[in-house]
Amino acid sequence: MRLGLNSAARALTAVLVLGIGAGSATVARAADTIVMPVQSSAGAKQDLFKMSMRKLWAEHVIWMRGYIVATIAGSSDAKEIEARLLRNPVEIGAAFAPYYGQDAGTKLAAILTEHIRIAGEVVKAAKKPASAKFLDADKRWHENAEQLAVFLSGINPYWSKDMLLKMFNDQLLMTTAEMTARHHKEWVLDVAAFDEIYVQALAMGDELANGVISQFPEKI
């Protein structure tokens, strides 16, 4: 039996939230936000591209949350979750390569992989956000976000550096709030932070998808 677009999107979201732990109910409630309307053949192709971008950025924050939860808890599955998280930059780079070339896709994957590597330092130091270790890692994390904004704005005229930098820095601030709340067992704040992160990730996917569609309307 073949699933319709809406059914497939809901099924995808259900799969993504399995095993993530705290915050999974939040993602399940957001299932409908990842669904795109069915339109004409051209419109449907663009909708599918947008949904694929939403999927990639939703996976980014979902597996980042899984890594945060496992790392802070000292869970034995932290390495496996980290390995899954590190697949995400490669998949995002591969999604951009058909439009910007393999070198650009590889560069994007490298910047995002560094983002995750630094995040590992940040999450361990976030229990003491005034410490020198945290401040150093956080500074490099924001520098990485600027590198990402410069790179993407340089390959697509529909993305401004300032817009991208704000978008990425907002994600870092929300993720830091999530880490800090979880370190201090402030569960309400922890869940609320992930609520915001998830919604922002979907908006990020839309923003990036719209930029690619605007630049390459004949390809999508």
Side-chain angles (χ1 to χ4, degrees), residues 111 143-156 159-162 164-165 168:
I111 297 171
E143 289 172 349
N144 173 266
E146 183 167 10
Q147 183 183 6
L148 184 57
V150 169
F151 173 73
L152 289 175
S153 63
I155 63 174
N156 188 316
W159 299 322
S160 75
K161 178 193 168 185
D162 289 345
L164 291 169
L165 186 58
F168 296 138

Side-chain angles (χ1 to χ4, degrees), residues 19-167:
I20 297 303
S24 60
T26 294
V27 181
R29 288 196 303 272
D32 287 342
T33 65
I34 203 167
V35 176
M36 305 302 298
V38 178
Q39 300 177 3
S40 65
S41 58
K45 188 176 180 182
Q46 292 182 1
D47 287 343
L48 286 171
F49 180 72
K50 289 179 182 179
M51 193 166 72
S52 72
M53 282 291 107
R54 282 188 164 204
K55 174 182 179 292
L56 288 169
W57 291 98
E59 287 178 339
H60 179 78
V61 299
I62 288 168
W63 289 109
M64 178 66 78
R65 177 166 179 77
Y67 176 66
I68 291 168
V69 170
T71 299
I72 292 175
S75 174
S76 60
D77 63 350
K79 287 294 183 184
E80 286 72 21
I81 293 173
E82 180 183 23
R84 176 59 184 86
L85 174 60
L86 286 168
R87 274 172 45 193
N88 181 253
V90 177
E91 291 168 350
I92 291 174
F96 277 72
Y99 310 99
Y100 300 100
Q102 187 57 55
D103 287 348
T106 300
K107 175 69 172 178
L108 177 58
I111 297 171
L112 288 170
T113 297
E114 181 68 3
H115 160 77
I116 291 170
R117 190 191 69 76
I118 299 171
E121 298 180 48
V122 175
V123 67
K124 292 168 186 174
K127 189 172 185 178
K128 297 179 179 179
S131 68
K133 184 176 290 188
F134 173 83
L135 293 173
D136 174 67
D138 185 63
K139 177 176 179 290
R140 287 183 284 112
W141 213 21
H142 284 274
E143 289 172 349
N144 173 266
E146 183 167 10
Q147 183 183 6
L148 184 57
V150 169
F151 173 73
L152 289 175
S153 63
I155 63 174
N156 188 316
Y158 293 93
W159 299 322
S160 75
K161 178 193 168 185
D162 289 345
M163 178 277 292
L164 291 169
L165 186 58
K166 183 180 187 307
M167 186 169 68

